[in-house]
Amino acid sequence: MNIVRRRGWEVTDRRVTPEHIALNRRALIGGAAALSILPALAARADIPVNPAFTPGRAVTGEKDATTYNNYYEFSESKNLWRDAQVLKQRPWTIELGGMVKQPRTIGIDDLLKQVSLEERIYRHRCVEAWAMTVPWTGFPLSQLLKIAEPLGSAKFVVFETTQDKVMPGLSAPFYPWPYVEGVTIEEAANDLAFISTGMYGKPLPPQNGGPLRLTLPWKYGFKSAKAIVKITFADKRPATFWEAIGPSEYGFWANVNPAVPHPRWSQATERLLGSNERVPTQIFNGYADQVAALYSNQKNEKLFM
Ligand SMILES: Nc1nc2c(c(=O)[nH]1)N[C@H]1C(S)=C(S)[C@@H](COP(=O)(O)O)O[C@H]1N2
Ligand SMILES: [Mo]
């Protein structure tokens, strides 16, 4: 079978593959048949690697990244991946509403036909000070903005996670379900802001937020809402899940900054999943060149917590 398999340990290959070689690979696999099933699978080896996003560190082993998860709808423990397998990934619809030209609901496969999928390797930094480096498949959030057609007066994009009866965590009374996260329109339009539909060249596993999650590599991981079923546009800052639970610990902006400690621990370093090595944390998780300008006019905001 003429299928190019990419694996997590093929770091060198991932880092150096220029766009034209990646596209040639796609041609190799070739043909309309491969392309037509591509949206359904949402992650295949014939999706071009975007060489603009080089992680600067080794890709985390697939097993480590897919078996150590935060997903409070399932559990407060990290070991929930088996339990999450029961979350059905199809049919899946996404409601697009609020301040948009025309509210509507779109099926995920319909949506995937309207975007161009690519692979990007991003660093992920959890507020709990662990980190991973993951090859995501997906598309820039800016493409979804174009599809949703927000009104000019919309200032925020709000993402809501599914509430499915197979999620045992939803019966915990303390939490303000559903899981809601949000960003400004400017943040959402930034090229780094990504919607993931796959990882490691495969469809996104349910435990990592399949079939559709937000991926915002310059912010603490809790901003990257999983299993999104609703995207709305608003002119007011939304009440977000973690900010509602602990406003002094998990603010709206949540940009990574090693110099701003969490009230209960330092953020100066992070532990890499897999090796458990500790490495220094970087401002904006190392993505300052791409995103720092977003915040130049927001000096009065608590941008880093
Ligand atoms: N719906 C939902 N999304 C969520 C979470 C969650 O509990 N529920 N946890 C967040 C946190 S704290 C992190 S670090 C990442 C973890 O993503 P991963 O399990 O794919 O590593 O998901 C984020 N998205
Ligand atoms: Mo996190």
Side-chain angles (χ1 to χ4, degrees), residues 79-263:
N79 183 14
L80 54 85
W81 66 274
R82 283 186 201 85
D83 299 336
Q85 302 310 308
V86 295
L87 183 65
K88 275 217 189 81
Q89 307 286 289
R90 293 291 189 284
W92 194 273
T93 56
I94 301 125
E95 196 183 322
L96 303 173
M99 302 174 73
V100 292
K101 230 171 169 179
Q102 180 70 60
R104 69 199 156 111
T105 298
I106 186 167
I108 188 168
D109 296 308
D110 208 18
L111 171 65
L112 292 178
K113 277 177 210 148
Q114 298 176 48
V115 297
S116 44
L117 295 176
E118 60 180 87
E119 186 182 84
R120 295 182 179 189
I121 306 172
Y122 276 163
R123 296 179 298 276
H124 171 100
R125 173 58 155 83
C126 175
V127 72
E128 299 161 339
W130 56 268
M132 60 182 182
T133 304
V134 169
W136 301 103
T137 308
F139 56 93
L141 179 53
S142 61
Q143 291 186 14
L144 195 135
L145 295 187
K146 288 201 188 89
I147 292 165
E149 298 186 281
L151 303 179
S153 45
K155 292 192 174 71
F156 296 92
V157 197
V158 187
F159 301 85
E160 239 182 79
T161 296
T162 193
Q163 292 180 274
D164 192 298
K165 56 183 181 313
V166 302
M167 296 170 143
L170 294 180
S171 52
F174 170 71
Y175 294 106
W177 308 113
Y179 197 102
V180 170
E181 261 309 336
V183 292
T184 64
I185 294 270
E186 291 74 31
E187 289 177 318
N190 186 273
D191 191 33
L192 274 184
F194 202 63
I195 297 276
S196 296
T197 56
M199 67 197 294
Y200 298 92
K202 299 170 188 165
L204 193 60
Q207 66 271 27
N208 293 92
L212 192 94
R213 77 175 277 173
L214 194 53
T215 305
L216 303 167
W218 73 99
K219 291 180 179 282
Y220 289 117
F222 67 85
K223 296 292 293 183
S224 294
K226 296 179 169 182
I228 293 164
V229 288
K230 192 169 166 188
I231 301 171
T232 51
F233 294 82
D235 56 3
K236 289 188 192 67
R237 192 190 293 191
T240 52
F241 183 81
W242 282 107
E243 191 183 22
I245 295 166
S248 62
E249 306 200 345
Y250 313 101
F252 175 79
W253 296 96
N255 294 305
V256 174
N257 188 340
V260 178
H262 184 278

